[in-house]
Amino acid sequence: MAISARLVVKPTKALLEVLKVRLRPKADNDFNGMGALLLIQGPVVDVLAAIDVGTKASNVKAAEIVGNCPQQLNTVVFWGSVSEVKQVLSALKEWGEVKS
């Protein structure tokens, strides 16, 4: 598995607005009180399995970011408090190869 990960602490309103229109399922009000985002990208099978790993490791929410090319890659975002999102990143690093 090889996935790329980017941690964003205190994301800007501009980033949140872009994400809101690209998420599946929609997360219109779910960003309230959130302190950090973790964006991950990789092969579809790895990213989907990473959702399972991340949401088991911490009390975060996750959604797919639609509109990516090429289709064999996928992007997912996790969000929650800074500590929760950092827990997800740690769990993903333990689970497999993560470039951050």
Side-chain angles (χ1 to χ4, degrees):
M1 170 192 71
I3 59 176
S4 297
R6 298 291 181 266
L7 176 65
V8 180
V9 177
K10 294 175 68 176
T12 64
K13 182 178 179 182
L15 174 56
L16 296 177
E17 291 300 319
V18 169
L19 285 175
K20 282 182 184 180
V21 297
R22 295 185 60 150
L23 292 185
R24 185 174 44 202
K26 297 285 182 205
D28 292 331
N29 296 314
D30 285 347
F31 291 129
N32 293 335
M34 170 269 310
L37 301 172
L38 179 63
L39 300 159
I40 64 166
Q41 183 178 49
V44 174
V45 67
D46 294 332
V47 171
L48 293 177
I51 294 170
D52 187 60
V53 171
T55 55
K56 286 178 179 174
S58 186
N59 186 29
V60 293
K61 295 188 179 188
E64 177 185 26
I65 301 174
V66 296
N68 300 312
C69 282
Q71 292 196 11
Q72 60 269 35
L73 294 178
N74 203 352
T75 306
V76 167
V77 61
F78 294 93
W79 68 93
S81 71
V82 175
S83 62
E84 290 170 336
V85 173
K86 284 183 176 182
Q87 274 184 305
V88 172
L89 182 57
S90 292
L92 291 174
K93 286 181 176 180
E94 281 183 36
W95 176 61
E97 183 182 332
V98 175
K99 297 186 309 178
S100 57

